[in-house]
Structure formats: structure tokens, C-alpha cells
Amino acid sequence: MMTNQEKQILLDVKHLKKYFQVGKKQTLKAVDDVSIQIYKGETLGLVGESGCGKSTFGRTILHLYEPTEGSVTFDGITVDHSLDRKQAHELSRRMQMIFQDPYASLNPRRKIMDIVGEGMDAHGLAKNRKDKEDQVVNLLETVGLQAEHADRFPHEFSGGQRQRVGIARALAVNPDFIVCDEPISALDVSIQAQVVNLLEELQEERGLTYLFIAHDLSMVKHISDRIGVMYLGCLMELADSEELFENPMHPYTKALLSAIPIPDPEIEKSRKRIMLEGSLPSPINLKNECKFASRCPNCKESCMQRQPELKEVSPGHFVACSCIE
Amino acid sequence: MGKILEVNHLTIHIKTHKGTVQAVRDVSFCLNEQETLAVVGESGSGKSITMKGIMGILPKNGKVTEGSVLYDGKELTKLTERQMQNVRGSEIAMVFQDPMTSLNPTMRVGKQIEEMLRAHKKDMTSEQRKKRGLELLELVGISNPEERYRQYPHQLSGGMRQRVVIAIALACEPKVLIADEPTTALDVTIQAQILDLMRSLQTKIKTSIIIITHNLGVVANIADRVAVMYGGKLVETGAVSDIFHNPLHEYTKGLLKSVPKAQEKGGRLQAIPGTPPDLMDPPKGCPFAARCMETMLVCQKFMPEDTDCSENHRSACWLLDERAGGVS
């Protein structure tokens, strides 16, 4: 955990928007005006239902998608087209990503050595072939695999092992910042814990900063310092993870938290749930109202005017709801 | 409470081009009337194949090589395909994991419900079928059933589709409902809705439910009893409170420890090292021996017997054998 003085902004996202054109006149607002700061060495968890734009957000800050509006500043450098090739290349080294599906994200026709070593080649991080091989073997050992695995193909590994390869590939270029896009949701429960522990160990050793995208809230709470809750492209609430779980303020956060089943039969039986009516509305051509208005239990007239802005209600705790002052 | 379903020493082999996978090995359990049994385990532990074996819908290369499935006094493994068709759907129904693929995309929702009635309730007229179909949609909490009845699956959301699938499964009021990961493909808020629905339907229709899941939270929410599978074997069965508060098998203990607790923060999760065994060539002894912290020599050589620890709570672990001298 960090104290306030130590907080150094690594990534500053301002009013980021990413719209997709679907059909002729329809716009899908995947990310709609999200501003967030990520501090050096922290883990920021991002949660929300599928289709809320959390993955698009992760990809847009890495500039895998061109943002429609807004800016992303990484360690003082603005990430956009004005960067020259060299700078852009360097940024792609410093910002890496771990993908959700360990079956789809590794090229089935290449050996682990080539998959992990590719980034080193691209950025000239290995002096010669021998050096590269040594580094790859080192990395494989760091993530809990063995040296002889380097000569194998992805299909020879289990899901958890593949995810370790994905982590090794991200680490190969010595990044500062890693976007983990649902890195554990495709894995079995007993394997999830292994991968989460590995991510935490690596963070301590290398001072990494994570954006951890997931929909498993209990795991997000475990790994994150702060958590942001997204709904239909907007950030609804942002707070320290403990604060968010103990004192959720936005009605959506409350409903989301009460929907997670807790692995304890006594708590489960006695617990009162806030049931949300219906399901997520389509993010195409939304009206100009609070995004949660259609499902909100205490929706008022003022909610129909516009999407409320994120306000700081107590130090470090931001909520976007017009009912909360 | 009487037993409605009894599975004894069920063994299922699946032939592949690489060799025979011993997917289910000597599994015995029972299902009481009106209870909910949760089956948990990792992917590949044989939970889905066990259920498919009970339903008689194994893939072509799969075969029940040993054991029996007793439903209401009937031996299901001995039935012909035609006899089995009468049981399937009307007596035992199944809900699959992915509501996107278990509905026919080219058929209207209403017709898919009627299909089930047409197969099992031959004396129903088409008006009666339609009336029953609308009733079912209302029962599973779909608003505006008249309109939904005429829609196609792609016009419904994921949660809504799963409700339709449940409606189809319940059309003939089966005595046993097998739900194979019914909420895994859904979001948490929708998952809560579906679990709530299943619980209320159980009291209304009085079915017994077997739910397969790997989410321990879901287990705690809905189950009366739990069966834990690992490496094709049933390693522990017991009441839900016994499993959560007094787990006997080392795998169950590890599984419970590896999920983060809501109450505590910080510290490492206690992961179970290693990976599950290859069922093409399963270990001779306990399937969990290679990953177990308490493993002994005997674990690797011999399969532990089921040991009853209290009524309804049994586990297969050598540590529970009296010769182990009460090691905890």
C-alpha cells in the first residue's frame, strides 16, 4: 500500500471517448467520457458487466484503438499520432497487455521460445541468439514454467500454463504498465489463485502497475488497490477497494455487490439481495440521460437530464449519481 | 425424503484417437426428492460427462462401461434408446451452459417450447399447447409472454434466453432437473436473477435439481448438498454446511482456500500447486496425490476407499482411514 506523498501519476486519462459506427446512422458509445488517473505501482481494478466497455477502455489507452476524443498521457508523454516512430515504439515496449483467452492469444504455429522472444527481437533487447534464449528461459522460470517448455507449442500446455506464457510474453520487454484483460476468467478456480499470486509477486519484484479488468468482483477486490465500476461506457464509481466494498454509494455498485454469491452458506441464506430489473440496455444510440436510469430503483426526474459527472464525495471516493451530494 | 435418483459405481470411458479417456471412474451418489445437489470440480473432472451418462446423451465415442443409474426404480442404463426418449425431457430434463447455442436460432421461441409438449404430451391439442407455453413463459418471469412467444432467440438477451431454456426443460414438470453451469455464461446481476428463479421454481414444481458449477458462491447460494469431483472421481459428498465448514478431502480444503474471502484483505491466496491429472493415463492411487500437501506413499499406490465420517458426509482420502492415526 502507498501513502499519499508517494503517489505519482503514471497514466492520466482525460475525457476518453471511443465510439464505433454501426450501420449507417447508429453509434455505439463503447467508452463515453471516462477520466481516470492510475498511479505508479498500484493495481486499478475495473469491473462491470459484459458490454460495459471495460475491455475497449483497456485497449484504447494502449492505443490499440484510436480514441474518438480525449487524451491519454503516459508518464508525461501524450499517446497520440504526434509521436514519432521511435517514441511510439518505446511506448509499445513500456505498455503491455495480457489477454483473456489463453487459447486464442498465442499463435498455435510458433514455439514458446519465439512467442516470448518476439518482443525482445522487435525492441532489440537481446544482444544475440544465446542471450535471447537465456532471457526467455529466465522468464519462463520466473512465471513458474521450466526451461524445456521453450521448445514446445502452445497446444501442449494447459490453460493455466498458457496464461503464464502470456504473462512471460508481456514481461519480456520490461514494461512499466500492464493491462490485464480478464486474465483469469478462462481458468479453473484452483488455477486462478496461482495466476493471481504470480501477478502479485511480479508486481512486488518489478514495481509494475496494473489495470486489472475483470468481472469476478471477489478476485478484483483481492488484487486491487482501487476499483472503478463501469456501466454502459461510463465510470459510475471509483474508490479504494476496501471503501468500495464497505461503503458503496452508487445504486449500481450496490446492486452489483449484492449480486455476487459469497462462498459461505450461512451468509448466503440470511442475505438480502438488491435485484436489478431487466438487463443491460443496448449501448447503441443511447438517450441523453443517466445511463443507469432505466434500471435504477431510485430514479428521479433530474436523472433524465444528463449523465451526472464523477464527483468526489469523500477523499478518494468518486461517484457519478445525481442523488448523492 | 426418498431417493429419486441413485447412481452406483458409474464408469464412463471415451475413446479418442489418442487412446481411451477414463472420464468418470466409479462414481456413486444419490439425489433425494426436492433437494438441490451441487456438483463442483475443475473442467475435465468429469462432472458434465457424468450427467450426460445419466441422461444417455454421451457422445458417440463415449460409453458407460460399468455401473447403474436407478431412477424411480428403473435402471436407465439398460433402457433402449426409444424408452430413454420417454424419460428424457419428461422425467429428467437438462439445462445447458450456453443459452446462445442451446436454442434453435431459426425457430420461434414458442414453437421450441411446444416441441417439448408435442413429444411427450401426445393428447394435448394445439390450443392447449399454446396456453401451456404462455404459462411457462410467465412462470419463468418473462414479461409480455404473448409477444415473446413469437420472437426468435436472437431477439432476446442472454438472461432471457436462459429463462426460455429453463421453461422448455420444465414444460413436462420433470422430477429431476439437471443444470450444467446454467449461469456461467451470464453476468453477475443476471446470475442472481436466474438462481432466484430456480429456487422459487423448485418450491413451486417440486423438482429435484442437480446443478453443476465451479463457482463456490453459487454453491453456497443454492445447494442443500454438495458433491466434489476431481480427476473423474467423486472425492467428497456432504451437506453444504459440512463441505464449507468442515471439509474432509484435501482438494475440497484447497478449493475453499483458493477463493478470496470477502472479510479479509491482503496476503497471498493459497493456491493449489500443479495441474489436474491426465485421465488418459490416470494415476493408480488417489487422483489428487500429486498436488496434495499431505500426500503419503500409500496415496500414490492405492485408491482410497469412501469413508463415512458422519451421516451423509463421506470422503475418499487415506488420511481418514483409521490406520492413518487421526492425522489432521
Side-chain angles (χ1 to χ4, degrees):
Chain A
M1 296 305 114
M2 287 170 298
T3 58
N4 273 331
Q5 300 91 21
E6 282 177 87
K7 279 186 183 171
Q8 226 181 328
I9 296 170
L10 182 69
L11 191 87
D12 194 1
V13 181
K14 283 207 176 94
H15 302 292
L16 191 73
K17 291 181 185 172
K18 176 66 199 169
Y19 297 169
F20 293 100
Q21 285 298 318
V22 281
K24 268 196 184 129
K25 281 184 188 146
Q26 303 195 84
T27 318
L28 190 157
K29 297 185 175 178
V31 177
D32 199 9
D33 203 352
V34 172
S35 302
I36 204 167
Q37 289 167 337
I38 302 176
Y39 303 110
K40 219 168 224 171
E42 80 163 345
T43 302
L44 179 75
L46 203 55
V47 296
E49 293 176 84
S50 43
C52 72
K54 50 193 196 304
S55 290
T56 307
F57 176 76
R59 286 164 179 245
T60 313
I61 57 175
L62 292 186
H63 220 248
L64 291 177
Y65 289 143
E66 182 70 25
T68 309
E69 244 178 74
S71 70
V72 178
T73 314
F74 179 78
D75 210 5
I77 310 160
T78 311
V79 187
D80 61 13
H81 276 311
S82 64
L83 294 175
D84 60 36
R85 261 190 101 124
K86 215 176 136 196
Q87 281 174 311
H89 198 60
E90 175 65 5
L91 271 181
S92 78
R93 182 188 71 74
R94 296 181 64 187
M95 297 160 89
Q96 282 290 317
M97 185 151 180
I98 298 168
F99 296 91
Q100 171 172 9
D101 188 348
Y103 292 85
S105 58
L106 302 176
N107 187 338
R109 302 176 65 166
R110 305 189 70 190
K111 289 186 176 166
I112 302 305
M113 172 64 74
D114 303 319
I115 291 173
V116 177
E118 190 179 15
M120 293 180 189
D121 290 340
H123 293 281
L125 296 176
K127 285 184 226 93
N128 49 40
R129 202 180 160 76
K130 178 82 183 57
D131 183 34
K132 178 179 133 188
E133 284 175 10
D134 287 347
Q135 283 193 39
V136 170
V137 167
N138 252 333
L139 278 166
L140 290 182
E141 278 164 2
T142 313
V143 298
L145 297 171
Q146 282 130 38
E148 65 260 28
H149 288 147
D151 284 327
R152 296 199 191 160
F153 288 100
H155 73 262
E156 296 174 67
F157 294 94
S158 66
Q161 286 176 318
R162 282 176 210 223
Q163 203 53 288
R164 287 168 190 268
V165 173
I167 294 170
R169 173 174 63 182
L171 291 177
V173 291
N174 256 327
D176 300 318
F177 175 63
I178 300 181
V179 174
C180 310
D181 188 1
E182 308 226 16
I184 53 167
S185 58
L187 306 175
D188 272 315
V189 183
S190 73
I191 310 292
Q192 285 185 357
Q194 292 177 6
V195 172
V196 165
N197 280 350
L198 173 66
L199 286 171
E200 287 184 309
E201 274 158 33
L202 291 169
Q203 180 169 44
E204 273 164 32
E205 277 166 30
R206 301 178 176 224
L208 294 167
T209 307
Y210 292 138
L211 175 68
F212 193 89
I213 301 171
H215 61 248
D216 178 353
L217 283 140
S218 49
M219 210 47 114
V220 172
K221 186 195 176 195
H222 175 84
I223 198 173
S224 309
D225 300 309
R226 290 189 304 149
I227 296 177
V229 180
M230 274 184 87
Y231 187 80
L232 280 181
C234 285
L235 201 58
M236 292 302 195
E237 188 159 1
L238 175 69
D240 284 348
S241 62
E242 219 119 301
E243 166 79 6
L244 188 88
F245 271 74
E246 262 156 42
N247 186 21
M249 289 185 157
H250 197 282
Y252 177 62
T253 315
K254 285 182 186 169
L256 197 63
L257 291 182
S258 89
I260 340 169
I262 294 171
D264 186 317
E266 271 69 52
I267 298 179
E268 269 304 309
K269 299 239 149 79
S270 57
R271 186 155 172 243
K272 274 238 156 65
R273 284 221 145 78
I274 308 168
M275 281 288 176
L276 280 185
E277 294 288 314
S279 51
L280 203 69
S282 157
I284 297 169
N285 290 351
L286 282 173
K287 277 179 254 151
N288 207 8
E289 57 185 28
C290 173
K291 304 255 158 142
F292 190 55
S294 62
R295 291 172 88 189
C296 187
N298 32 5
C299 174
K300 297 181 305 191
E301 207 166 298
S302 61
C303 301
M304 310 307 277
Q305 309 296 322
R306 63 191 168 80
Q307 167 65 30
E309 274 173 34
L310 212 55
K311 272 179 295 198
E312 188 161 14
V313 282
S314 63
H317 192 152
F318 299 83
V319 188
C321 179
S322 50
C323 303
I324 294 161
E325 290 309 321
Chain B
M1 270 195 301
K3 286 174 188 168
I4 182 99
L5 189 75
E6 218 179 323
V7 175
N8 288 315
H9 306 289
L10 190 72
T11 304
I12 298 173
H13 286 181
I14 298 174
K15 286 209 172 75
T16 65
H17 63 278
K18 276 188 197 160
T20 306
V21 180
Q22 303 179 22
V24 179
R25 300 186 287 152
D26 196 8
V27 165
S28 307
F29 66 91
C30 64
L31 179 71
N32 297 324
E33 271 168 31
Q34 287 185 50
E35 77 165 350
T36 304
L37 173 74
V39 181
V40 291
E42 317 200 13
S43 37
S45 62
K47 39 192 205 313
S48 288
I49 289 290
T50 307
M51 297 312 145
K52 284 183 177 168
I54 293 172
M55 291 285 282
I57 47 167
L58 285 172
K60 279 212 178 75
N61 51 355
K63 205 177 167 238
V64 176
T65 52
E66 248 178 84
S68 74
V69 179
L70 278 176
Y71 164 77
D72 217 6
K74 265 182 285 191
E75 172 58 55
L76 295 187
T77 53
K78 297 272 176 352
L79 294 186
T80 61
E81 177 56 26
R82 174 154 289 200
Q83 288 169 319
M84 197 62 210
Q85 271 175 12
N86 290 330
V87 174
R88 214 181 286 141
S90 69
E91 310 270 341
I92 308 178
M94 196 154 176
V95 171
F96 294 92
Q97 174 172 0
D98 191 353
M100 314 288 159
T101 51
S102 49
L103 290 172
N104 184 339
T106 66
M107 258 169 102
R108 292 180 202 272
V109 165
K111 207 161 175 205
Q112 300 194 43
I113 301 175
E114 281 187 33
E115 202 182 22
M116 183 73 130
L117 296 169
R118 197 173 296 150
H120 292 291
K121 302 256 154 103
K122 299 248 158 61
D123 49 348
M124 265 186 157
T125 62
S126 64
E127 283 85 46
Q128 281 173 326
R129 277 202 297 268
K130 170 135 202 216
K131 191 166 155 267
R132 175 79 181 130
L134 289 171
E135 265 172 34
L136 281 164
L137 281 185
E138 211 170 317
L139 184 73
V140 295
I142 288 180
S143 55
N144 215 345
E146 289 276 356
E147 192 192 327
R148 297 289 180 197
Y149 206 73
R150 276 178 278 114
Q151 286 185 332
Y152 288 96
H154 76 265
Q155 290 168 297
L156 309 178
S157 67
M160 203 86 94
R161 277 181 233 188
Q162 197 61 296
R163 283 171 193 266
V164 171
V165 174
I166 292 173
I168 295 173
L170 294 179
C172 301
E173 306 201 338
K175 296 226 181 64
V176 179
L177 178 70
I178 300 176
D180 188 353
E181 310 228 10
T183 59
T184 311
L186 306 172
D187 279 313
V188 267
T189 55
I190 311 297
Q191 167 174 294
Q193 291 173 2
I194 295 288
L195 291 178
D196 207 44
L197 171 72
M198 288 180 65
R199 216 177 303 111
S200 72
L201 287 178
Q202 183 170 32
T203 44
K204 259 188 233 164
I205 304 184
K206 306 205 189 320
T207 39
S208 313
I209 297 179
I210 300 181
I211 182 170
I212 300 180
T213 178
H214 58 248
N215 186 333
L216 290 170
V218 171
V219 176
N221 177 300
I222 198 167
D224 300 313
R225 281 195 314 129
V226 184
V228 184
M229 284 192 76
Y230 187 83
K233 303 270 304 178
L234 198 67
V235 295
E236 185 165 359
T237 45
V240 66
S241 54
D242 285 339
I243 296 286
F244 277 89
H245 299 305
N246 183 23
L248 293 173
H249 199 277
E250 291 300 314
Y251 173 65
T252 317
K253 288 181 195 168
L255 202 60
L256 288 169
K257 278 184 200 147
S258 64
V259 285
K261 296 277 177 315
Q263 300 84 6
E264 53 199 63
K265 163 88 190 161
R268 287 276 183 272
L269 295 172
Q270 296 189 19
I272 308 174
T275 48
D278 179 10
L279 293 182
M280 204 87 86
D281 178 27
K284 242 195 319 178
C286 172
F288 191 59
R291 297 172 78 187
C292 184
M293 294 297 187
E294 309 283 341
T295 182
M296 303 173 287
L297 203 57
V298 61
C299 301
Q300 282 147 24
K301 298 248 169 85
F302 301 98
M303 193 75 82
E305 297 273 314
D306 273 348
T307 316
D308 284 308
C309 279
S310 63
E311 205 186 341
N312 299 327
H313 191 185
R314 54 161 52 178
S315 169
C317 177
W318 279 118
L319 288 174
L320 302 171
D321 193 281
E322 48 197 28
R323 282 165 287 176
V327 190
S328 62

